[in-house]
Amino acid sequence: EDKVVQSPLSLVVHEGDTVTLNCSYEVTNFRSLLWYKQEKKAPTFLFMLTSSGIEKKSGRLSSILDKKELFSILNITATQTGDSAVYLCAVEAAYGQNFVFGPGTRLSVLP
Amino acid sequence: SAVISQKPSRDICQRGTSLTIQCQVDSQVTMMFWYRQQPGQSLTLIATANQGSEATYESGFVIDKFPISRPNLTFSTLTVSNMSPEDSSIYLCSVFLREYRETQYFGPGTRLLVL
């Protein structure tokens, strides 16, 4: 059975800290891994990763995929209170079908 | 980028009734995706809506309960049929831009409460 596991499930840090969120997966016919930020209702797409070892960056956020060890990490440096959200990891098993979502990591950044 | 709108944004419905949610995209896209997020849980993909063909449903979701229409490349509807309180969720439509595969956009969501 395909599954995605995220850790930690919740995390509390102070502004300025650096955090690393983990996502591991077991899925047949892996196509891509996606990270989202969900603050209220609709998630915001962050990254799509398809190749191992290639870091994707967007401002203070970066992510990398290890297809051999079947995991990805999402790093956030110099955290701000606006980074407080649930971060979702999802794996796409085949193009356009069969997305499996992890439970999310709830990040709280305190001033 | 893609702009996605959903209607209604929220609704309160009675058990046994049906609700149709509309999703409009400002770009032509091959596939549109419908997700559900039940209270306190992560997103679950319901189905993929392909223009001109039957929708593809994920395990645990069936066409009789969640019929989908996809009449053109910019529009789709999801109907939640014969609703029960367990259907209370946020329903989201989503697309990948056709030309730029690596970006996924979500609609604002429809918050449904079934009494």
Side-chain angles (χ1 to χ4, degrees):
Chain A
E1 181 184 340
D2 296 342
K3 66 178 180 181
V4 175
V5 177
Q6 290 185 247
S7 64
L9 293 180
S10 66
L11 186 58
V12 180
V13 300
H14 288 90
E15 274 191 314
D17 290 348
T18 293
V19 298
T20 298
L21 309 183
N22 303 291
C23 176
S24 62
Y25 61 91
E26 293 178 24
V27 67
T28 54
N29 299 316
F30 173 89
R31 285 298 186 105
S32 64
L33 184 143
L34 305 98
W35 283 99
Y36 300 89
K37 177 182 181 182
Q38 185 175 27
E39 293 175 88
K40 293 180 180 176
K41 204 159 61 173
T44 303
F45 174 84
L46 294 176
F47 299 110
M48 173 183 278
L49 305 161
T50 56
S51 302
S52 274
I54 299 175
E55 185 182 51
K56 292 209 171 181
K57 286 180 69 73
S58 177
R60 295 177 294 103
L61 277 66
S62 64
S63 184
I64 197 162
L65 173 68
D66 186 328
K67 290 168 73 173
K68 181 180 178 183
E69 300 297 329
L70 307 184
F71 79 91
S72 174
I73 58 172
L74 175 69
N75 280 317
I76 308 175
T77 59
T79 51
Q80 303 171 357
T81 54
D83 295 327
S84 297
V86 174
Y87 290 84
L88 295 166
C89 170
V91 173
E92 180 187 15
Y95 180 76
Q97 297 182 13
N98 201 14
F99 286 88
V100 182
F101 279 83
T105 294
R106 182 174 294 279
L107 174 66
S108 299
V109 181
L110 305 179
Chain B
S1 65
V3 176
I4 306 175
S5 60
Q6 282 186 236
K7 291 181 182 179
S9 61
R10 60 182 64 234
D11 208 342
I12 301 174
C13 301
Q14 295 297 320
R15 182 195 298 261
T17 62
S18 297
L19 176 72
T20 295
I21 302 168
Q22 299 178 9
C23 178
Q24 180 76 51
V25 187
D26 69 344
S27 304
Q28 291 187 335
V29 291
T30 305
M31 288 184 285
M32 295 175 73
F33 305 90
W34 287 99
Y35 292 85
R36 178 175 76 179
Q37 185 175 31
Q38 293 176 299
Q41 298 187 28
S42 190
L43 293 175
T44 303
L45 181 64
I46 298 172
T48 304
N50 304 297
Q51 195 271 330
S53 64
E54 293 278 339
T56 304
Y57 289 83
E58 298 299 304
S59 175
F61 298 96
V62 295
I63 188 171
D64 290 346
K65 175 68 176 176
F66 297 101
I68 287 172
S69 79
R70 185 77 203 277
N72 58 53
L73 291 172
T74 63
F75 186 79
S76 178
T77 67
L78 170 77
T79 299
V80 186
S81 304
N82 188 24
M83 289 184 284
S84 68
E86 291 71 35
D87 294 319
S88 297
S89 291
I90 297 172
Y91 292 86
L92 297 130
C93 69
S94 174
V95 304
F96 281 97
L97 272 190
R98 193 175 192 180
E99 291 80 11
Y100 301 103
R101 174 67 175 82
E102 292 199 9
T103 307
Q104 184 176 10
Y105 296 92
F106 286 87
T110 296
R111 189 182 297 274
L112 172 61
L113 176 64
V114 184
L115 302 177

